[in-house]
Amino acid sequence: MKEWARRFSLLLTGLLGIEMQPVMSFPRTLSRAMRQLWLGAWLCCWGALAWAQDGAPVRIGVLAYLGADAAVAEWTPVATQLQRALPGRTVELISMDHAALNDAAQSGRVDFIITNPGHYVELESRVGASRILTLQTGGTLPTSAWQAVGAAVVTLAGNPRIQRLADLRGQRVAVVGKEAFSGYQLVWRELAAEGIDPSRDLRQLLVVGLPMDRVLDAVASGAADAGFVRACMIESRPEWRQHFRVVSARPEAGFACATSTRVYPNWPIATLRHTDAALARQVTLALLQMQAGDSPITWAVPADYQAVHELQRELKIGPYANLGVPTLTALAQRYWPWLAGLLGLIALGGIYTLHVERQVQARTADLRQAARERDELEGRLRESREQAEHMARLSVLGELSGTLAHELNQPLAAIGNYAHSLIRRIDNQRLTPDAAREAASEMAGQAERAAGVLSRIRAFAKKRVAQRQAVDPVTLVHEAVALFRGMQVHAPPVDVVGELPVGTLLTVDALQIQQVLLNLLKNGMDATRQLTVERQPLTVSLRHAGGGVHIGVRDRGEPLTPEQQSGLFEPFFTTKADGMGLGLSICRSIAEAHGGRLDATPAADGPGLCFTLTLPHDDRIHPRDHLHSA
């Protein structure tokens, strides 16, 4: 409000073009009307300032350790006294916990604070709180301003296990919070003197929060074996005196309650940096007028809080929290035996490191030798695998070679027929150039057919090192089907269906993939050989899904049992009377070597089995938008 009045004065200065001066020294250069206007504005400005100061509320933040309602009831006499002493001002009591009171004091939402001594010392260093009076209570439990606050460790009256503070080791203890002065910090100091660290040596530190009644509730319910409360709290109610007992009560001169700790100065009322000095003086005088006969609350001059500073310095909390971070010198003085041992360990570690280095060099040589032997073994295994694949191809070729004579006999018979026809025409002198050309063309075509059959069989049976290259999966499937049908006397019909994006390529060993497809087609033919003609056709499907190409070979044979289904790809497992049980096992290993897989599932649209060979397509080739039908 003072700032508002100052700004109003500056506004008048700007409007009138003169400098504001004391009321008794009017500018002589002004006319009588201007002097009257200047005086009226000056009186209005200071009148508004006085009205603003008189009408502003006096806000007092109170630590509500027993809850908001209890705090209002306890400090109402203070509000009543100030209301009488400050006519025209409204006195507001605002009950808060520790965190809320910290925030309110720092943000300027309260003008005065009433809190416990420990909290006050923290606010003194944090926000500039300054005590103006110290509480001095009377009534049935009178206390002095200098010896008024203690803490009581309470347990159930019938609990024989806790008689001393040392008995708290390994027990469950309920507290308001670690920031509570009489609810934790006072007992913490006494436990530290006993060599007990509450955060380490207690079985459980149960934080229940405000109000402090919750600590007694936790002890009464069995959730805690003991609790820390403010001294005189047990004596304030008869039912609490019957159910609870103060542990290790110590006599304190001038202190009427049972306490487990030393006693400290009473609660202060303190101003903050933004508190108006005149208002602080009025509040101080008003509270000093409260008499013991008229009010349960009286006030004395500010007490000495050095004992509170000593407590927080010992515990390294509040303004002394930085003492908890030791310096290098302090650490060296405190832990020099450990440092000497550490240096010795470092020296031993250096010697051990040299020893280990020599062993590492020896082990490295052994590992290099083992790596060379492993590479040689892998080479032999690779050769063995290629040999097994070659033998598998020869096995398939051997099973199909019985029909080779039939396939070659047809073109040879045709060639022979045309040759005999030419001889007869020559003998009968009826050979014309057109007839000779026709016979020669047919003979050449049949010869090429026979040569094609032999070329495919020779390529399939040839032993060589696996070579991968980009191939068209559609062409690969059609060549495998042609090879299969060319090697069978009564080959079943094989339909190739499906769609793949144009440009789809597979980076594979074409011969190995043809070996897989021939094996699957041969198995499908064997499964339907004894069935009706309608169930003998085979279907080869191609589709693109999930970043790969799926090639399916589907037959319409009899369904397999679950045991047969689960053992299809196991080595030496077969359902054929003359089978070796290696074909499908080798086919799966070929698929996995190409980064794909081979699966077998019952057909979804009828009887039979569907083998699906999945191979990753070449990502370097991007399919076009239109599709190509197989």
Side-chain angles (χ1 to χ4, degrees):
M1 291 302 176
K2 288 183 176 180
E3 180 64 18
W4 177 86
R6 186 185 65 82
R7 292 182 179 181
F8 186 73
S9 299
L10 292 176
L11 177 62
L12 289 178
T13 302
L15 292 175
L16 299 178
I18 61 174
E19 181 180 358
M20 297 293 291
Q21 299 183 17
V23 68
M24 298 305 295
S25 57
F26 295 104
R28 296 180 180 180
T29 58
L30 296 178
S31 63
R32 179 181 180 86
M34 291 296 294
R35 286 198 300 271
Q36 290 177 348
L37 178 60
W38 182 86
L39 177 61
W42 190 90
L43 291 176
C44 288
C45 176
W46 287 103
L49 176 62
W51 173 85
Q53 288 182 334
D54 289 342
V58 179
R59 299 158 299 179
I60 304 176
V62 178
L63 179 64
Y65 73 97
L66 286 178
D69 295 337
V72 171
E74 181 179 6
W75 300 106
T76 295
V78 173
T80 303
Q81 174 68 11
L82 293 179
Q83 197 70 60
R84 287 196 298 263
L86 303 172
R89 305 292 289 268
T90 302
V91 179
E92 297 180 1
L93 290 176
I94 307 174
S95 303
M96 308 179 194
D97 59 12
H98 290 86
L101 193 55
N102 289 342
D103 183 65
Q106 191 164 7
S107 61
R109 297 200 307 270
V110 294
D111 303 304
F112 299 89
I113 58 170
I114 301 177
T115 186
N116 64 54
H119 193 206
Y120 161 70
V121 170
E122 292 182 21
L123 293 176
E124 188 178 43
S125 62
R126 184 181 303 174
V127 297
S130 177
R131 62 189 182 277
I132 55 177
L133 294 173
T134 298
L135 181 67
Q136 180 172 290
T137 58
T140 58
L141 300 172
T143 61
S144 67
W146 285 264
Q147 290 184 321
V149 177
V153 178
V154 298
T155 186
L156 292 176
N159 184 4
R161 292 182 291 110
I162 302 177
Q163 300 294 333
R164 303 172 302 155
L165 293 182
D167 297 334
L168 293 176
R169 190 186 303 270
Q171 303 294 328
R172 300 169 301 165
V173 175
V175 298
V176 170
K178 291 186 177 181
E179 73 283 354
F181 183 65
S182 57
Y184 179 73
Q185 295 173 358
L186 299 189
V187 184
W188 180 10
R189 185 186 191 185
E190 306 301 332
L191 290 178
E194 297 281 343
I196 299 175
D197 185 351
S199 60
R200 182 190 63 217
D201 299 327
L202 299 180
R203 177 182 171 187
Q204 181 186 10
L205 190 63
L206 181 62
V207 177
V208 298
L210 292 173
M212 197 171 283
D213 301 8
R214 295 179 179 176
V215 174
L216 300 180
D217 294 339
V219 176
S221 65
D225 302 308
F228 301 165
V229 298
R230 182 181 181 183
C232 299
M233 184 174 174
I234 298 299
E235 290 83 354
S236 64
R237 294 186 185 178
E239 64 271 18
W240 286 350
R241 287 198 298 266
Q242 295 175 3
H243 288 86
F244 300 101
R245 172 174 54 85
V246 177
V247 177
S248 189
R250 56 196 294 174
E252 289 289 341
F255 194 70
C257 304
T259 177
S260 304
T261 67
R262 284 163 272 194
V263 292
Y264 298 83
N266 214 332
W267 287 34
I269 180 171
T271 62
L272 301 169
R273 289 193 179 103
H274 59 272
T275 305
D276 182 71
L279 177 62
R281 184 167 51 254
Q282 291 176 319
V283 169
T284 302
L285 294 175
L287 294 182
L288 286 174
Q289 295 176 4
M290 299 179 70
Q291 301 297 324
D294 302 329
S295 171
I297 295 178
T298 58
W299 297 88
V301 295
D304 183 8
Y305 287 82
Q306 183 61 32
V308 181
H309 283 274
E310 292 175 358
L311 175 142
Q312 295 190 349
R313 188 182 301 110
E314 286 185 20
L315 299 181
K316 298 179 179 60
I317 58 176
Y320 305 98
N322 59 333
L323 298 179
V325 182
T327 62
L328 293 178
T329 304
L331 288 174
Q333 293 176 350
R334 182 181 302 177
Y335 300 109
W336 69 266
W338 296 94
L339 291 175
L342 180 60
L343 292 176
L345 289 176
I346 292 175
L348 292 176
I351 298 174
Y352 179 73
T353 301
L354 294 177
H355 173 68
V356 170
E357 183 66 25
R358 292 193 182 94
Q359 289 187 335
V360 167
Q361 292 177 357
R363 295 289 177 83
T364 301
D366 295 339
L367 288 175
R368 290 196 183 101
Q369 179 63 28
R372 286 192 295 269
E373 295 176 355
R374 182 196 60 191
D375 293 339
E376 294 175 359
L377 178 60
E378 288 180 352
R380 290 195 295 270
L381 290 176
R382 185 165 52 252
E383 293 176 359
S384 299
R385 184 168 59 251
E386 292 173 356
Q387 182 70 20
E389 293 174 359
H390 177 64
M391 294 301 296
R393 288 198 299 274
L394 293 181
S395 176
V396 173
L397 185 62
E399 294 180 6
L400 300 177
S401 61
T403 61
L404 179 59
H406 173 76
E407 290 299 316
L408 294 178
N409 186 55
Q410 291 180 356
L412 290 176
I415 292 173
N417 290 335
Y418 281 109
H420 288 299
S421 176
L422 287 176
I423 293 173
R424 286 195 301 271
R425 288 175 181 268
I426 292 173
D427 292 340
N428 297 330
Q429 297 182 355
R430 290 186 292 109
L431 180 63
T432 63
D434 292 337
R437 185 178 296 104
E438 178 183 0
S441 297
E442 290 294 336
M443 292 170 65
Q446 294 299 326
E448 291 178 358
R449 176 183 173 188
V453 172
L454 291 175
S455 176
R456 288 194 296 270
I457 294 175
R458 184 168 57 252
F460 183 73
K462 184 179 179 181
K463 182 180 179 182
R464 60 171 179 76
V465 179
Q467 297 178 354
R468 297 188 183 184
Q469 57 186 355
V471 298
D472 179 10
V474 177
T475 304
L476 183 66
V477 168
H478 280 287
E479 290 180 354
V481 171
L483 182 61
F484 170 73
R485 298 187 64 178
M487 299 170 65
Q488 295 296 314
V489 180
H490 302 291
V494 180
D495 295 329
V496 180
V497 298
E499 294 180 342
L500 289 178
V502 173
T504 300
L505 296 180
L506 297 177
T507 303
V508 297
D509 185 293
L511 183 59
Q512 289 183 340
I513 300 305
Q514 282 187 350
Q515 176 181 345
V516 174
L517 296 177
L518 278 175
N519 199 304
L520 298 180
L521 291 170
K522 175 65 169 55
N523 287 345
M525 182 186 71
D526 293 340
T528 59
R529 188 189 304 274
Q530 305 299 328
L531 301 179
T532 61
V533 177
E534 293 79 7
R535 294 179 61 178
Q536 290 183 3
L538 304 177
T539 303
V540 180
S541 60
L542 296 99
R543 61 187 179 89
H544 185 281
V549 174
H550 300 262
I551 304 174
V553 179
R554 186 227 196 272
D555 62 59
R556 292 168 178 79
E558 297 296 336
L560 300 179
T561 64
E563 293 77 10
Q564 293 173 333
Q565 179 79 24
S566 62
L568 275 177
F569 297 100
E570 295 180 2
F572 305 107
F573 176 84
T574 180
T575 59
K576 304 176 186 178
D578 56 349
M580 296 179 59
L582 293 175
L584 289 178
S585 176
I586 293 176
C587 289
R588 171 168 277 188
S589 67
I590 292 174
E592 292 175 350
H594 283 76
R597 65 180 187 274
L598 179 61
D599 303 308
T601 56
D605 57 347
L609 203 61
C610 182
F611 288 88
T612 303
L613 174 63
T614 303
L615 297 170
H617 72 77
D618 195 335
D619 291 334
R620 295 171 299 178
I621 307 299
H622 297 283
R624 298 186 181 93
D625 294 334
H626 57 281
L627 300 177
H628 170 69
S629 174

